Amino acid sequence: MSKTLYEKIFDAHTIVEKDDDYLLYIDRHLIHEVTSPQAFAGLEEKNRKVRRPDRTFATMDHSISTRSLALDACGPENHKQLRTLAQNCEKHGITLYDVGHKKQGIVHVMGPELGLILPGMTVVCGDSHTATHGAFGALAFGIGTSQVEHVFATQTLKQPRAKTMRITIEGELLDGITSKDIVLAIIGEIGHAGATGYVIEYAGSAIRSLSMEARMTICNMSIEGGAKAGLIAPDDITMDYLKGRDYAPKGQDWEEATRYWQSLYSDDDAVFDAEVVLKAEDIEPQVTWGTNPGQVIGVNTPVPNPDDFNDSVTKTSAVNALDYMGLEPGQLLTETPVSHVFIGSCTNSRIEDLRAAAVVAKQGKVSSSVTAIVVPGSVQVKQQAEQESLDKIFIEAGFEWRLPGCSMCLGMNDDLLKEGDRCASTSNRNFEGRQGRGARTHLVSPAMAAAAALKGKFADIRAFQE
Amino acid sequence: MTAEAQGFKAQTGTVCPLDQANVDTDQIIPKQFLTSVSRKGFGKHLFFDWRYNKGEPLTVNNDFVLNFPQHQGATVLLTRENFGCGSSREHAPWALTDYGFKVIIATSFADIFYGNCINNQLLPVKLSDEQIQVLFDAVAASSSVEITVDLQAQTVSCNEHEFAFEIGDAHKFTLISGLDSIGQTLLDEEKITQFEHARQTWQ
């Protein structure tokens, strides 16, 4: 019987099938400080152990400072959480990439860098952006803390089967359009909850032509369309990325693994529960105007009027969003001043993201009315950027160059905005209060964020291309 | 969930009507409370940015529905589509249950949040737009109206209305039995071990 890629991976990991629930084996479990402490405590209450510490990898990313390597730099609560992770990893024999480690980073940047994520794997983490790893053709999804505890104790998870959605993007992208614009355009098309209950497979020539880092950006934001996971079938680009990485198979194992990986694609006659098709050349530079990622427009499109929406719930959401965002219907974002720019997060903090932002940054200076920070996704990204002198370009232009971490994507450290601040952000969520109570977040690509920093308002990146 | 947890049966209670779509987990429990290493004590921070006014000292926002006197003691939260979207933080159901909610009725839920509810004995009930509207209207007509949710029968009743709702068998079993989910899985430990032995070294 023909199968989708999702079904192939799902079936290959099913241990027990009961009613509508399947017990799935989990190949990789990534953990961080925020969603693991209660799971470790739950284990200990029951006198249970971590079944496979060798399949479990930890990092510190959410609660850490981007100005200091000191664990107590963001106050006693954060410090306690970080120390708790270190103690738990020590006790249970889990490899931890802690602050100061030369390979530490945001969990979804670090994991792929280390070669921890391989095609055909099941990957979970107590973090909704685990979908990132679907870029490798791995079934990767975020879980709650009770499930983290379940994976600790059993190396399995109970899961129902998801529906399947294929999103096909054919054609060639216009100059200056990045994978961030693609995924924002997709969410704008299907809606903030349009893929709830589905696993998305991204396909088509525009997807196939993307680098691994660009694919990670797309899969990362699958959750913002409501999807359980996003997948891209592995190909030569995937193999080239993985070869030689720390945890990637070597020698004979590599040969065997790659033979298996080549079987990981949706069969030609596989049937998806839903199909969405977009033309690459229709995608413009995207900017969100509202308080969920589905409220998004092309940079030159006027802010919509709530009256233009048909159903009352969408209309009410738009009214509330415009009120929170301090925007008027018909307003142009290219005329809207920004006070802050954040380049970072598990969506857009990899080396290619920083290179794209630097191309723009070297064309001018950060506007005097803007505070702009660049937060690399990992120590390895930071070092690579410094080898390429990108840090100098950013600093010269007036950006701050920080230490790796989740930072202002969610502000669990001191990288927080104030009420009324307006931020062009390369992160993944424009929810109310996400970057600080009363702060206004607009999601954009790294190049668009850098352009906004220079202009002091949103700008069409196509005017900045070299 | 612990082995001592009581299984979910039927629940009757008054309703807090939160008439908003896409309520994300950042709203349910904002980031500044996620540094705790405990599962307890999140109820007082539930819907923090909506529930309390800006600035110090902390004062209650009397315009937010959770603070209306007639909705104190509500055990059913009535809301709209895509409730619990965004972050996977289980702190969201911890905050909702600690506050006192037993049931959330919405048009739809985000996937991870839905699973987190099941693992915390918080019943997520999906009804149609029209049925949800009937319930909003009933609460608007009388704030003391009670809703009864019978999980065994999979029904929601309010005044003369009775609506059936869908829930997966496995989720229903988890809620009703109140059994330790890990303990249940470990009944299959031998099969897990066999599966592990069949893995390749690079898998």
Side-chain angles (χ1 to χ4, degrees), chain A residues 12-16 18-21 23 25 27-28 33-35 37-39 41-43 45-46 48 51-52 55 63 77-78 80-81 84 118 120-121 125-128 141-147 149-150 153-156 158 160 192-193 195-198 223-224 226-228 249 252-254 256-257 260-261 291-292 311 313-314 316-317 320 410-412 416 419 429 431-438, chain B residues 1-4 19-27 30-40 42 47-55 58-59 61 80-91 94 107-113 115-116 118-120 126 129 133 167-174 179-197 199-203:
Chain A
H13 289 82
T14 299
I15 303 171
V16 183
K18 269 183 200 154
D19 302 327
D20 53 352
D21 225 22
L23 190 65
Y25 194 73
D27 294 316
R28 283 279 187 263
E33 69 272 26
V34 183
T35 55
Q38 297 88 349
L43 277 190
E45 273 172 32
K46 293 271 168 53
R48 288 172 175 147
R51 182 181 176 90
R52 294 298 299 266
R55 291 186 178 274
S63 297
E77 284 265 315
N78 290 35
K80 184 179 177 191
Q81 195 174 56
T84 302
L118 303 176
M121 277 187 165
C125 174
D127 191 292
S128 58
F141 52 93
I143 56 176
T145 296
S146 296
Q147 293 172 307
E149 186 181 335
H150 194 280
T154 69
Q155 203 57 35
T156 67
K158 291 171 195 164
H192 180 35
T196 300
Y198 289 89
I223 181 77
E224 311 309 335
K228 173 144 207 99
Q252 186 60 33
D253 280 351
W254 173 263
E256 281 179 31
Y260 171 61
W261 297 344
T291 53
N292 75 58
D311 80 285
V313 172
T314 311
T316 307
S317 289
N320 292 342
L410 84 168
M412 278 195 67
L416 269 178
E419 187 179 358
R429 290 196 173 124
F431 295 161
E432 281 186 32
R434 174 82 176 175
Q435 297 187 300
R437 187 169 180 172
Chain B
M1 192 176 65
T2 64
E4 306 80 52
D19 194 356
Q20 291 199 53
N22 300 314
V23 174
D24 59 75
T25 53
D26 275 80
Q27 302 317 316
K31 79 265 243 118
Q32 64 268 36
F33 306 111
L34 304 190
T35 50
S36 167
V37 296
S38 164
R39 288 174 188 247
K40 299 198 172 86
F42 291 100
F47 296 122
F48 186 87
D49 285 3
W50 292 340
R51 191 167 158 198
Y52 301 105
N53 294 312
K54 289 166 189 160
L58 207 58
T59 54
N61 173 11
R80 301 280 183 181
E81 67 190 37
N82 200 26
F83 188 81
C85 57
S87 160
S88 61
R89 59 189 71 168
E90 197 163 314
H91 312 67
W94 295 338
T107 336
S108 61
F109 295 89
D111 282 340
I112 304 175
F113 177 81
N116 286 342
I118 302 289
N119 286 329
N120 285 280
K126 279 184 266 193
D129 283 332
Q133 193 55 50
I167 184 168
D169 291 343
H171 288 154
K172 185 173 174 178
F173 174 79
T174 299
L179 289 171
D180 168 29
S181 172
I182 293 172
Q184 291 293 299
T185 296
L186 289 175
L187 298 175
D188 286 319
E189 190 167 11
E190 210 171 300
K191 287 179 186 154
I192 299 171
T193 304
Q194 281 169 9
F195 187 93
E196 281 179 327
H197 287 157
R199 304 296 280 163
Q200 303 295 322
T201 50
W202 44 269
Q203 282 182 313

Side-chain angles (χ1 to χ4, degrees), chain B residues 58-86:
Chain B
L58 207 58
T59 54
V60 166
N61 173 11
N62 292 316
D63 295 333
F64 182 54
V65 67
L66 201 75
N67 294 327
F68 291 2
Q70 65 269 36
H71 297 312
Q72 300 311 298
T75 56
V76 178
L77 182 66
L78 179 64
T79 182
R80 301 280 183 181
E81 67 190 37
N82 200 26
F83 188 81
C85 57

